[in-house]
């Protein structure tokens, strides 16, 4: 008698997994310490398997604004994510690095997980998203050049 129940439950699980994500499921990221209005800021919302790698499932970008830039990621399924951001000052769609791989452009992570000169751990950057609308704030860090908004 258990076998028919299992067979009936499998199609229901597949239908639930394929359900569309509500349009109202958004994550807003407020980025502080943006040093200039050159280029764009880019954010990836990553699952644990794609954190610090290419292939994060959700992303957004916006023109850089100083001292704060706001990015909005839409249609985010409920789950656990880590946000990884960079300030693409020269608009070449990639993170530029200098000697020893030190970022030439600004970087930031959710929960301000960036400490010292090493990549953060997933557990330090991870946040839960239950659906609906959620806002997080991060601070952009620059290792080369000026460290924050330029004086006017």
């Amino acid at each position: 008698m258990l076998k028919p129940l299992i067979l009936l439950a499998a199609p229901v699980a597949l239908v639930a997994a394929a359900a569309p994500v509500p349009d109202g499921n958004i994550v807003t990221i407020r980025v502080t310490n943006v040093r200039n209005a050159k280029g764009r800021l880019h954010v990836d919302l990553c699952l644990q398997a794609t954190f610090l790698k290419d292939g994060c499932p959700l992303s957004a970008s916006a023109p850089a604004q100083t001292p704060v830039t706001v990015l909005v990621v839409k249609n985010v399924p409920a789950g656990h994510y880590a946000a990884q951001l960079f300030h693409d000052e020269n608009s070449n769609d990639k993170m530029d690095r200098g000697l020893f791989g030190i970022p030439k452009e600004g970087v930031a992570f959710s929960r301000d997980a960036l400490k010292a000169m090493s990549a953060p751990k997933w557990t330090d950057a991870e946040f839960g998203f239950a659906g609906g609308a959620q806002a997080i704030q991060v601070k952009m860090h620059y290792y080369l050049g000026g460290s924050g908004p330029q004086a006017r």
Side-chain angles (χ1 to χ4, degrees):
M1 188 71 179
L2 289 178
K3 287 182 183 177
L5 292 176
I6 293 170
L7 293 176
L8 289 175
V12 172
L14 290 175
V15 170
V21 177
D23 289 338
N25 276 13
I26 61 170
V27 174
T28 301
I29 301 102
R30 184 176 187 267
V31 185
T32 65
N33 200 47
V34 178
R35 74 174 165 193
N36 61 49
K38 295 178 183 174
R40 300 180 69 77
L41 267 65
H42 180 85
V43 61
D44 289 320
L45 289 188
C46 305
L47 301 169
Q48 186 171 7
T50 57
F51 182 56
L52 300 177
K53 301 174 187 168
D54 291 332
C56 296
L58 301 160
S59 64
S61 65
Q65 297 179 354
T66 184
V68 175
T69 302
V70 176
L71 298 113
V72 177
V73 184
K74 298 178 180 179
N75 301 321
V76 180
H80 291 265
Y81 298 94
Q84 54 191 36
L85 302 90
F86 72 97
H87 182 178
D88 187 12
E89 292 176 278
N90 60 1
S91 298
N92 67 351
D93 295 324
K94 66 178 186 174
M95 163 61 75
D96 293 318
R97 298 181 181 275
L99 191 61
F100 305 115
I102 296 171
K104 289 182 173 181
E105 301 172 303
V107 295
F109 293 90
S110 47
R111 297 180 56 201
D112 282 326
L114 190 60
K115 307 293 183 217
M117 293 287 286
S118 62
K121 296 177 183 175
W122 164 262
T123 55
D124 294 333
E126 178 269 332
F127 67 94
F129 177 68
Q134 182 172 333
I136 62 173
Q137 180 169 304
V138 301
K139 180 180 180 182
M140 189 63 65
H141 296 270
Y142 298 89
Y143 294 106
L144 301 174
S147 62
Q150 295 174 342
R152 293 181 183 203

